[in-house]
Amino acid sequence: MIPRPIQHLLLAALHDAFAQWAHPFAFVCRKGCATCCTRSVTMTSLEGDGIMTFLAEGDRLSELAAPAFQPTASRMGRTGQYTTNTFVAAHLRGESVEEADNWDLRPCPFLKEKSCSIYPVRPFGCRLFASLDPCAASGVAEMPPGYLAGATALLQYIEHLDNNGFWGTMVDVLAGLHSGQADGCGEPNAPIPGFLIAPDERTIVEPLLEGLLAMEVEGRPFAQWLQVSRP
Ligand code: SF4
């Protein structure tokens, strides 16, 4: 397993690569719009670890005791849900995959006066949400071709790197990390089984993946760290 501090450096490199790639898209998202900030944002325990450290450094860990951070009753103890990588694996095997239908769309507990109170360490699931059109009224984000395929590939990399970690909603993962009881707070992370990138999306997604895989972190390309994570 890659040491946690290096996993965090790899995560930061991934965030940089994504921000650079997504920069040219004409998204309308602005500070103060929080339509996508719900309790259904998902993440890995690696990202949760970064949030826990951020809260501890700001003497804010007590916030996690608030009722808004209690795991969602309908999801607690549920197992057998898809992570990003097991979802992709099922698709690649040709299985019919049912979308989760119990998302909790109440506001994210980290939302304060329409701004994110953990912005520097928000999970990748928050960073990828974006829309070409204002989505507050419809609730539906308009994304450019290839954007979701590229973002999903990066979600897969994060899950792959967080070997021995787990995946779930942000609220559930934080509850698991805070209590030290991960059982029922997420699903085990899985390795990358392949990608769901359509042929007409490849020219858009390839620069993102190639750029990221070549990035040097602690003297090794990102691609090599992926292999170290899951030999
Ligand atoms: S963590 Fe921040 S960006 Fe993510 S859903 Fe919550 S308030 Fe929004």
Side-chain angles (χ1 to χ4, degrees), residues 3-162:
R4 255 316 188 223
I6 296 182
Q7 288 182 331
H8 282 295
L9 292 177
L10 291 162
L11 185 59
L14 180 147
H15 290 163
D16 286 348
F18 180 73
Q20 223 174 331
W21 175 74
H23 185 69
F25 296 122
F27 294 125
V28 296
C29 309
R30 297 288 176 267
K31 189 174 180 182
C33 173
T35 309
C36 56
C37 292
T38 72
R39 285 169 54 99
S40 282
V41 167
T42 56
M43 69 176 183
T44 59
S45 47
L46 168 62
E47 295 164 289
D49 185 56
I51 295 172
M52 295 292 287
T53 302
F54 182 81
L55 293 175
E57 285 170 358
D59 202 15
R60 293 175 55 192
L61 276 176
S62 58
E63 287 181 24
L64 297 178
F69 281 100
Q70 296 315 300
T72 307
S74 64
R75 300 179 71 86
M76 267 175 74
R78 278 189 63 174
T79 55
Q81 297 191 95
Y82 290 109
T83 68
T84 312
N85 278 332
T86 58
F87 179 87
V88 171
H91 264 289
L92 292 174
R93 288 193 300 267
E95 294 171 9
S96 77
V97 181
E98 277 183 36
E99 298 278 348
D101 57 359
N102 61 339
W103 297 116
D104 182 346
L105 299 179
R106 288 176 291 165
C108 170
F110 286 121
L111 194 60
K112 313 266 190 232
E113 295 170 1
K114 293 197 169 181
S115 284
C116 176
S117 63
I118 58 160
Y119 195 76
V121 290
R122 68 201 187 285
F124 187 71
C126 305
R127 293 167 199 258
L128 72 84
F129 269 115
S131 182
L132 297 170
D133 291 325
C135 60
S138 67
V140 179
E142 180 68 31
M143 296 180 182
Y147 178 80
L148 200 53
T152 302
L154 298 207
L155 285 171
Q156 292 184 249
Y157 284 148
I158 298 170
E159 184 180 337
H160 182 99
L161 286 170
D162 189 17

